[in-house]
């Protein structure tokens, strides 16, 4: 699996490269600035991009802007944001095309290499990997949205865990529910968000994106 990595801190960048290679990824480019990132993403067309938000030259939003620009040129390009900050506006823009293959992790809340690598694989496969804090920020701004209002508190909990990338079995364990109960909640969520009830993974992604990106 081919990866483009953007991180301006040298030691962290080299550490992430070593971690990814140790888990069988091919790091085709490891860059430190927004312009380098855009060139690498368009030129290499990797299976997934791992991107810091704030990169040189201005350390504001170059990383995410480059990822969004590349995604417009390479539709569906999987992007995993790895940042110290929750940038709600850009997180929404990343979710806006509804194509999946998106993630947003906070650096100080990634507790081990396996968690990070699992998120990279999930995003590369077209899924989502959202940090709970990012989810909470997005949901807070959507609190009065009509689709959200149709969901029960338990359905919201289930969908939030889906956004983190958890399977039905993992959700059942987390919420102390049976697998069948989680399946029923999932089917209800699909219906309320205008998606036909199904266990298909693509519909799970569409449900998560519709939920997080609703305006």
């Amino acid at each position: 699996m081919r990866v483009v990595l953007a991180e301006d801190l040298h030691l962290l960048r080299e550490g992430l490269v070593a971690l990814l290679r140790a888990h069988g990824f091919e790091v085709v480019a490891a860059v430190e600035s927004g312009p380098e990132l855009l060139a690498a993403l368009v030129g290499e067309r990797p299976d997934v991009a791992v991107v810091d938000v704030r990169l040189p030259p201005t350390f504001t939003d170059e990383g995410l802007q480059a990822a969004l620009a590349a995604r417009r040129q390479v539709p569906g390009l999987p992007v995993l944001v790895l940042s110290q900050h929750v940038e709600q506006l850009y997180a929404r823009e990343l979710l806006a095309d509804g194509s999946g293959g998106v993630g947003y992790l906070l650096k100080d809340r990634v507790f081990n290499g396996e968690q990070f690598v699992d998120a990279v694989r999930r995003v590369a496969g077209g899924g989502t990997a959202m940090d709970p804090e990012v989810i909470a920020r997005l949901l807070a701004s959507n609190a009065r949205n009509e689709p959200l209002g149709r969901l029960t508190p338990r359905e919201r909990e289930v969908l939030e865990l889906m956004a983190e990338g958890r399977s039905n079995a993992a959700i059942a364990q987390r919420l102390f529910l049976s697998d069948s109960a989680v399946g029923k909640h999932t089917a209800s969520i699909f219906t309320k968000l205008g998606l036909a009830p199904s266990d298909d993974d693509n519909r799970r992604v569409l449900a998560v994106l519709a939920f997080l990106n609703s305006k």
Side-chain angles (χ1 to χ4, degrees):
M1 191 177 296
R2 302 171 69 253
V3 181
V4 166
L5 170 69
E7 169 58 57
D8 66 294
L9 296 177
H10 176 76
L11 290 179
L12 179 55
R13 184 172 66 253
E14 292 302 307
L16 290 172
V17 168
L19 176 63
L20 289 166
R21 287 176 174 164
H23 283 82
F25 294 91
E26 179 187 359
V27 180
V28 296
V31 302
E32 61 179 346
S33 72
E36 289 176 308
L37 173 59
L38 179 57
L41 292 177
V42 174
E44 297 289 349
R45 301 198 171 214
D47 297 304
V48 62
V50 178
V51 178
D52 191 5
V53 173
R54 300 183 180 183
L55 294 175
T58 67
F59 294 97
T60 54
D61 57 11
E62 284 89 344
L64 207 39
Q65 288 283 24
L68 290 167
R71 206 166 153 100
R72 288 190 287 270
Q73 295 184 56
V74 186
L77 174 70
V79 175
L80 174 61
V81 176
L82 185 63
S83 178
Q84 289 182 316
H85 312 278
V86 180
E87 303 284 356
Q88 293 185 45
L89 176 63
Y90 295 115
R92 278 193 192 292
E93 190 171 350
L94 193 60
L95 294 163
D97 65 10
S99 63
V102 294
Y104 202 124
L105 300 181
L106 298 178
K107 289 179 180 178
D108 59 358
R109 290 168 55 87
V110 177
F111 302 116
N112 57 64
E114 292 298 329
Q115 177 191 0
F116 171 69
V117 168
D118 178 65
V120 175
R121 293 190 190 282
R122 197 181 312 132
V123 171
T128 59
M130 306 295 290
D131 185 279
E133 179 63 24
V134 177
I135 296 170
R137 296 281 187 91
L138 293 176
L139 296 188
S141 64
N142 281 341
R144 297 182 182 178
N145 181 265
E146 183 181 354
L148 304 187
R150 292 198 294 264
L151 299 178
T152 67
R154 179 62 82 186
E155 288 167 352
R156 285 174 63 100
E157 289 179 319
V158 169
L159 194 46
E160 287 173 24
L161 292 172
M162 285 172 59
E164 292 177 34
R166 299 179 187 271
S167 65
N168 276 12
I171 293 171
Q173 184 177 25
R174 177 72 173 270
L175 298 179
F176 303 102
L177 298 172
S178 67
D179 287 352
S180 62
V182 173
K184 289 178 181 177
H185 286 308
T186 301
S188 177
I189 289 166
F190 290 156
T191 299
K192 291 179 180 180
L193 292 180
L195 301 168
S198 170
D199 291 329
D200 183 76
D201 285 343
N202 289 333
R203 293 188 185 275
R204 290 172 68 90
V205 172
L206 289 173
V208 168
L209 297 179
F211 187 53
L212 295 178
N213 195 48
S214 53
K215 297 178 181 178

